Amino acid sequence: MPAAAVDPIALARALIRRPSVTPADAGALKVLEDALTQLGFACRRMPFEGIENLYARLGKASPNLCFAGHTDVVPVGDLEAWRCDPFEARLEDGELVGRGAVDMKGSIAAFVAAAGAAKGAGEVKGSLSLLITGDEEGRALHGTRAVVEALAAEGEVIDHCMVGEPTSAEVLGDVIKIGRRGSLSTQITVHGVQGHVAYPDRAANPVPVLIRLLYALQQRRLDDGFEGFQPSNLEVTTIDVGNPASNVIPAQATAKLNIRFNPNHSGGSLSDWIKGEAARAGEGFAGKIEAAVEISGEAFLTKPGPFVELVAEAVAQETGRRPQLSTSGGTSDARFIRLLCPVVELGLVGATMHAVDERVPAADIEDLAGIYRRVIQRYFEAYSAPVQPQ
Ligand SMILES: [Zn+2]
């Protein structure tokens, strides 16, 4: 039975109509699963802790090219400010408007259409797979990370992966991401002893200790960048004492900071540094300092090479423009997938992602499907083992 052609706009609209605000699935994965099943994909739900995830594979042979993404979306925010219902998936003046249009139901639909076309033309000389999670925009604990661990444990091989996050900056395909900076957050709590400002010897003021620590942390220039990466930066995001009285030494002072770091550092090395500075700032202090460090992702880079090159070439062929190879922006699920295989990220123009009136030209979704189709073609040309002559 020949696979029916997939209309990426219709599929994107069907996905947007499912209000899958993290952690809700709202039937979004079922829409996707139905479309993939029609194309011959074997679909598996991989739920973890109530989060729905989907792994779908077409074919059993290697190599296995995977597309990764998420069907969950961020909340709509100020509903009144939207020009239309964010889950109506309205087509207006050639644009598709709705929550998830660019991040990233549009790109998922584009890949499914590309897979259908490639299958129809007999270009899938190996396997195509999709790893789609319902927990990317939240804490991302039970989404891609859990699925990647489970697949690795059962010996499933993914050879290369493309993540469909909205990487394009101004026009479709102008930027692809080949790495990401790491991210580490820290909550610092200085516990002192409350007392009267006139009797400091009976109290332990946490405020000067916190100031000393933050000053020391801010003083260090982390680095001047790393090949392909911006310099690492540390930002203090809040300092809180909440003491309304001018004659009371407060009992506690807290602060939060975040570091975005390149491969000059690891989460562990930065965590050790913060804890060391905390110990130094607290020397001679009667109270105690806590630094709760949370590492949400390590920095990584997929070295420019044949895989990155074939994706860049596919973009250039379809759009006439060579994409810039970038590592900028926040973290993405690529941080988990890179543990399995080389990963690049390529998707729609991200200008309106997470914003009111999130939207994308319908033509961009069609063009992205064209780019993905070329990636699939080139991938199997480059990586499929040639059939041995008898
Ligand atoms: Zn996203």
Side-chain angles (χ1 to χ4, degrees):
M1 188 180 69
V6 174
D7 172 358
I9 308 298
L11 180 56
R13 297 182 80 188
L15 288 168
I16 291 169
R17 289 192 184 115
R18 306 293 162 159
S20 48
V21 177
T22 326
D25 168 60
L29 282 177
K30 175 78 167 73
V31 169
L32 181 59
E33 199 174 65
D34 287 349
L36 291 169
T37 305
Q38 290 245 319
L39 293 176
F41 278 80
C43 294
R44 272 173 72 188
R45 289 297 183 97
M46 300 181 72
F48 293 97
E49 305 289 336
I51 297 288
E52 286 289 340
N53 302 290
L54 174 69
Y55 181 66
R57 181 165 175 163
L58 177 70
K60 293 196 171 79
S62 65
N64 178 9
L65 173 63
C66 182
F67 175 89
H70 60 90
T71 45
D72 63 327
V73 296
V74 295
V76 299
D78 182 4
L79 189 58
E80 295 299 305
W82 282 73
R83 66 168 79 157
C84 59
D85 178 343
F87 302 111
E88 173 193 327
R90 184 182 289 183
L91 267 175
E92 194 174 83
D93 303 327
E95 287 189 318
L96 176 56
V97 186
R99 177 55 85 227
V102 291
D103 188 12
M104 54 172 275
K105 291 172 169 176
S107 68
I108 292 174
F111 188 83
V112 175
K119 187 196 171 186
E123 295 159 0
V124 185
K125 298 187 173 68
S127 300
L128 283 178
S129 55
L130 286 91
L131 192 170
I132 306 293
T133 166
D135 182 26
E136 197 272 344
E137 302 287 11
R139 296 195 68 208
L141 294 176
H142 309 301
T144 302
R145 179 162 90 174
V147 175
V148 160
E149 280 171 9
L151 289 176
E154 61 186 61
E156 174 77 9
V157 175
I158 294 174
D159 295 281
H160 293 85
C161 183
M162 186 161 60
V163 173
E165 286 293 335
T167 56
S168 301
E170 307 281 338
V171 291
L172 182 67
D174 59 354
V175 175
I176 63 180
K177 297 206 173 171
I178 57 167
R180 294 272 186 161
R181 291 197 294 170
S183 173
L184 169 154
S185 297
T186 302
Q187 157 120 20
I188 297 164
T189 308
V190 183
H191 302 274
V193 178
Q194 187 177 321
H196 195 299
V197 291
Y199 303 93
D201 49 315
R202 297 182 198 161
N205 194 343
V207 177
V209 177
L210 183 62
I211 291 172
R212 218 158 40 231
L213 173 54
L214 294 178
Y215 183 74
L217 293 174
Q218 292 273 218
Q219 278 300 97
R220 176 174 171 198
R221 185 187 180 91
L222 288 165
D223 54 65
D224 295 316
F226 186 91
E227 194 193 339
F229 285 85
Q230 298 162 264
S232 305
N233 63 302
L234 179 154
E235 303 302 326
V236 175
T237 53
T238 186
I239 300 175
D240 301 285
V241 179
N243 176 17
S246 58
N247 58 353
V248 174
I249 289 172
Q252 186 174 299
T254 64
K256 288 184 185 166
L257 58 89
N258 181 273
I259 303 176
R260 294 300 162 108
F261 57 93
N262 61 39
N264 282 307
H265 310 273
S266 67
S269 70
L270 290 169
S271 174
D272 289 349
W273 167 60
I274 291 168
K275 289 186 168 154
E277 290 294 347
R280 232 186 316 283
E283 273 165 20
F285 175 58
K288 130 174 163 237
I289 306 178
E290 273 173 341
V293 177
E294 189 180 315
I295 300 156
S296 49
E298 298 286 349
F300 72 93
L301 177 70
T302 297
K303 288 237 161 29
F307 182 55
V308 171
E309 187 50 34
L310 81 84
V311 175
E313 265 303 304
V315 172
Q317 254 188 358
E318 190 73 18
T319 67
R321 285 180 299 272
R322 259 309 284 187
Q324 181 203 338
L325 306 181
S326 163
T327 60
S328 66
T331 61
S332 80
D333 274 358
R335 71 189 189 269
F336 304 123
I337 297 163
R338 58 114 192 178
L339 301 172
L340 291 183
C341 65
V343 50
V344 303
E345 300 178 67
L346 162 61
L348 295 162
V349 176
T352 60
M353 64 181 171
H354 297 202
V356 161
D357 289 341
E358 180 175 347
R359 62 196 179 276
V360 60
D364 275 13
I365 296 180
E366 305 266 10
D367 292 348
L368 184 60
I371 294 173
Y372 286 157
R373 167 90 184 271
R374 287 183 193 270
V375 170
I376 295 169
Q377 287 171 333
R378 288 176 161 270
Y379 180 78
F380 291 111
E381 280 166 22
Y383 289 95
S384 287
V387 178
Q388 295 298 322
Q390 293 293 333

